[in-house]
Amino acid sequence: TYDYEPYCDSCSQGCCGAHAVCENASWIDQMCSRCKQRLSWNKGPVRIVPFGYFAADMIGSERAYTLLGAPLFLLSAVPPDVPDSRFTVTGQQSTLGFDIAGPNCESFASGGRFAFNFFGNRPVQNNPGLFFLIGYLELRNDQRRFWAGQDIDAIGRQNTNSPSWTSHKQSGNFGNIRPGFRVERYFHHSDLAQTSLYFGLTQQVVLDFIANPLVAGTDNGWPNVEMRWELALGEECNGQRPIQLAVGGVVGETRAVDFAGQAVANVSATWGVIPELHLQLGRWGFQGEAFVGEAIGTYNAGIGQSLDPFDDEPINTIGGFGEFYCNIAPSFTVSIGYGIDNPRNADLGPLQRSRNETYWINSIWRSGEHWETRFEISHMETDYVFPYVDSLGMLYHVDTRYKF
């Protein structure tokens, strides 16, 4: 049966009486059960362990962009003689969460997770407040997991090493946070091979990062159906194997609504296919994914656009990202990457975004058990269907975190 084993996930070594193995763990998932017990709050059979990080971000940009604390795309260009640079200092990315472990239920361990940051209910409006990130309950063992609540999507699970909370979403990085129900099945073929199947029913429309009524839509009385197959090869370390290949898919329906939220006649198919790849070969690694589909703006594809606001027809899009990285030292990682989201121009209205691409180079410096600093230089270009308003510029992002 599944249980919290008395060893650290980060190195799979047994814990001594002093728990020395865990003293270098900087995240709650890397710690063994006995060290979690030492840090936890207990009420009967329920154990609660706080985790998170405090973050301070500084972002400088040559052009104005959407979502001040985590750039998504550039706003349309202004005349050359009009200043358009931006500088932002924020702590909204700071995250606080709680891991919950409950009593066993037959052969399953019960638990859950809850977390939020401070981007507010509508992050694009730059009104700081609580933003609900994760909140779910689960039953799991070595072969199965049953999940209900809100979490990151089961499809498009690769992320970049960017300091930004959005991690180049809407510029090739697929996925979002949404509520739903999910069943997962794990097949352990050997110590070096595992396959996994994911099946979920999820909410079609979530609170978009872009508060734009021109891309409004809702579900059509059905949930989205998400499926994912994953192959993982190599020795497991810290919950991950050196080679991971996955293919995911989503299908559903989107019903267009007008500016007042009233339904209109158009109902569109929502669908997407998303292959993923993660490689770790010694100090070198690669992570990336691609996608193709339509009416998938709430998955941060189509540059956040699902429908043409003028005829309510779905937007077909294609994109993806790739990032190479090198662990130069245990405390220092350097990455270089590229991402693009390219909706089909024929599907777009005259005011919509037609292309968003980003080149970046970033570094991660872990300056102690709890401290981490990330720095990124990126070049972003956002094109629009309307002529003469395409925008491009450099962005500079520094993020310092204290993790606990």
Side-chain angles (χ1 to χ4, degrees), residues 160-347:
T160 74
N161 289 327
S162 172
S164 174
W165 168 52
T166 52
S167 191
H168 299 296
K169 300 292 186 184
Q170 302 189 18
S171 188
N173 189 357
F174 188 94
N176 207 331
I177 301 165
R178 73 186 63 241
F181 302 87
R182 192 158 68 230
V183 177
E184 303 173 7
R185 180 72 166 91
Y186 315 119
F187 301 90
H188 303 276
H189 306 292
S190 71
D191 292 339
L192 300 178
Q194 175 180 310
T195 56
S196 305
L197 290 174
Y198 302 76
F199 176 83
L201 303 177
T202 64
Q203 180 66 37
Q204 159 65 291
V205 178
V206 298
L207 289 176
D208 290 332
F209 293 131
I210 308 166
N212 185 352
L214 296 180
V215 296
T218 185
D219 65 86
N220 192 40
W222 295 91
N224 278 0
V225 178
E226 299 178 3
M227 296 189 67
R228 183 173 186 266
W229 172 86
E230 178 185 292
L231 170 65
L233 301 173
E235 294 185 3
E236 187 173 359
C237 180
N238 196 19
Q240 191 171 54
R241 298 179 187 268
I243 301 175
Q244 290 182 310
L245 173 66
V247 178
V250 57
V251 63
E253 291 184 341
T254 299
R255 183 173 67 234
V257 297
D258 62 19
F259 297 141
Q262 296 296 312
V264 298
N266 284 53
V267 175
S268 303
T270 290
W271 66 270
V273 178
I274 310 94
E276 308 171 40
L277 178 64
H278 183 99
L279 297 174
Q280 178 72 54
L281 303 174
R283 295 186 302 164
W284 299 87
F286 172 84
Q287 52 200 7
E289 62 192 23
F291 59 83
V292 61
E294 68 177 21
I296 46 177
T298 62
Y299 288 85
N300 279 306
I303 323 178
Q305 304 162 127
S306 291
L307 306 173
D308 181 335
F310 290 91
D311 61 14
D312 299 314
E313 290 298 316
I315 296 171
N316 192 288
T317 189
I318 188 171
F321 82 89
E323 182 181 68
F324 293 92
Y325 62 90
C326 178
N327 297 313
I328 297 176
S331 62
F332 191 67
T333 300
V334 175
S335 308
I336 184 170
Y338 169 76
I340 184 171
D341 197 337
N342 189 20
R344 181 189 293 162
N345 285 15
D347 296 341

Side-chain angles (χ1 to χ4, degrees), residues 25-46:
S26 59
W27 199 247
I28 191 67
D29 287 341
Q30 298 175 335
M31 302 180 69
C32 73
S33 60
R34 283 180 286 180
C35 288
K36 289 178 182 178
Q37 179 74 22
R38 184 177 57 181
L39 298 175
S40 66
W41 305 330
N42 297 282
K43 184 175 178 59
V46 178

